[in-house]
Amino acid sequence: MNIYKNLNEIINYIDENLEEVIDYKVLARFLGVNVYTMQRLFTMISGISLCEYIRKRRLSNAGFDLYTHKQKIIDVAIKYQYDNATSFSRAFERFHGIRPSLVNTQTKLRNYPKIIFNEDVYITTELDYEIITLEEMHLYGISISTNNDKIGEDAPLFFKQVETKYIDKYGEIKYGMTTYDIAREEIQKYYCLYDKVIGEFEHIEIPASKWLKFRINSHKAKDIQEMAHRFYKEFLPSCKYNLKEIPELEYYHDGITDFLVAVY
């Protein structure tokens, strides 16, 4: 399977159905994976979440329709799957920088281009991993709000702050965890977690599962981020695993880090 060819098929399907409700299950079938895995792959490979890409493509077309065809705002709003003219107008102004009612008098509009993936991409580097089974885990920790753009800086800084503050009281941080929004596309929080009961911290229950384990001979943030990048860009597109809706974990021990991903 050439995943980049399949991603282009997803892009073409989206563009042909911008005026319809887009079923993520249909998109997932292009890749032969579940919806969660498809969303994570799209986001990591394209650099934009699936829902954000669809939103920007719809608003790009909406600007063209309003200017070229002089359509009513409510008609364009409904056409591109907005519930009402008010929510459409807010989204339109955030994207284009002008209210839709001004399109006929001001021609400053923005276009988000259709993504085209390079299908001539060949990855031949090897990546060792181990399949392990872990029982249900009960972890305790604290988190920081972050997002896709800031996680690379926020996570290591927060880790250092938590470690410095609690090392004498609770010992070393055992796990790091990143959580996502309800659509599983946008990062919401990064957690520092301990494998002991700490009443003042949030209790996180991790269900029993099979995990893919990738070993990193370091605790450095850049090395962990490089492994996560390789997993989503190199490993996942060419394997047959489906991701479970469980956040990936970073297990810190003995000077190494195990990057853990729950799978079916």
Side-chain angles (χ1 to χ4, degrees):
M1 178 183 76
N2 184 331
I3 189 171
Y4 297 98
K5 179 177 184 296
N6 298 136
L7 285 169
N8 279 329
E9 291 174 349
I10 287 176
I11 292 295
N12 290 335
Y13 180 89
I14 289 171
D15 250 48
E16 291 167 4
N17 291 276
L18 288 172
E19 299 173 18
E20 311 294 334
V21 175
I22 296 176
D23 187 346
Y24 279 21
K25 291 180 180 178
V26 173
L27 302 184
R29 285 201 287 270
F30 283 104
L31 297 179
V33 297
N34 63 11
V35 169
Y36 179 59
T37 305
M38 180 273 298
Q39 289 175 277
R40 298 294 296 127
L41 276 169
F42 187 94
T43 300
M44 296 303 295
I45 292 175
S46 69
I48 184 173
S49 68
L50 183 59
C51 63
E52 183 71 358
Y53 175 74
I54 294 171
R55 184 186 70 82
K56 288 185 174 183
R57 287 296 295 149
R58 283 174 169 160
L59 290 171
S60 294
N61 285 8
F64 177 83
D65 289 350
L66 286 171
Y67 180 74
T68 305
H69 303 304
K70 308 296 190 293
Q71 296 181 9
K72 293 180 180 178
I73 294 174
I74 184 60
D75 292 339
V76 176
I78 293 172
K79 179 179 181 180
Y80 290 110
Q81 303 300 310
Y82 283 84
D83 294 331
N84 53 68
T86 301
S87 60
F88 168 74
S89 296
R90 284 198 296 263
F92 188 95
E93 185 172 3
R94 284 196 299 269
F95 180 73
H96 288 285
I98 62 170
R99 296 192 299 274
S101 59
L102 297 177
V103 167
N104 291 328
T105 58
Q106 298 181 28
T107 56
K108 182 183 176 182
L109 293 171
R110 176 177 294 163
N111 178 67
Y112 191 86
K114 176 181 175 181
I115 292 176
I116 300 176
F117 292 97
N118 178 11
E119 297 181 11
D120 297 324
V121 175
Y122 300 95
I123 297 170
T124 58
T125 55
E126 298 177 349
L127 190 58
D128 294 332
Y129 71 101
E130 183 180 349
I131 303 172
I132 64 173
T133 299
L134 296 176
E135 299 300 321
E136 180 179 274
M137 292 186 285
H138 293 268
L139 305 176
Y140 295 79
I142 54 178
S143 64
I144 183 175
S145 296
T146 185
N147 57 45
N148 291 8
D149 296 327
K150 295 170 58 183
I151 182 70
E153 296 179 3
D154 287 347
L157 179 60
F158 183 65
F159 180 95
K160 189 170 184 178
Q161 290 172 342
V162 173
E163 184 178 54
T164 301
K165 183 175 181 179
Y166 294 106
I167 185 70
D168 292 335
K169 192 173 183 181
Y170 300 127
E172 295 181 344
I173 298 168
K174 289 297 183 181
Y175 292 89
M177 182 179 75
T178 303
T179 60
Y180 300 85
D181 65 0
I182 194 169
R184 311 293 179 181
E185 296 179 341
E186 296 291 333
I187 292 173
Q188 284 193 322
K189 292 182 177 182
Y190 169 75
Y191 280 83
C192 291
L193 299 165
Y194 298 82
D195 58 354
K196 63 180 71 174
V197 177
I198 302 176
E200 64 179 298
F201 288 169
E202 182 179 352
H203 174 215
I204 303 293
E205 183 177 314
I206 306 295
S209 177
K210 287 185 178 179
W211 299 76
L212 303 181
K213 182 176 77 173
F214 300 85
R215 179 143 291 179
I216 307 160
N217 294 316
S218 166
H219 284 176
K220 293 181 180 178
K222 66 178 184 63
D223 296 330
I224 298 170
Q225 290 163 12
E226 180 184 353
M227 176 59 75
H229 178 86
R230 290 191 65 193
F231 171 76
Y232 282 106
K233 289 289 187 74
E234 300 176 16
F235 183 89
L236 190 58
S238 60
C239 75
K240 295 183 179 181
Y241 295 107
N242 268 306
L243 303 182
K244 280 189 176 180
E245 294 187 26
I246 301 174
E248 57 258 29
L249 294 174
E250 299 163 9
Y251 174 41
Y252 315 115
H253 63 103
D254 305 315
I256 61 177
T257 303
D258 290 331
F259 180 67
L260 303 172
V261 183
V263 296
Y264 290 106

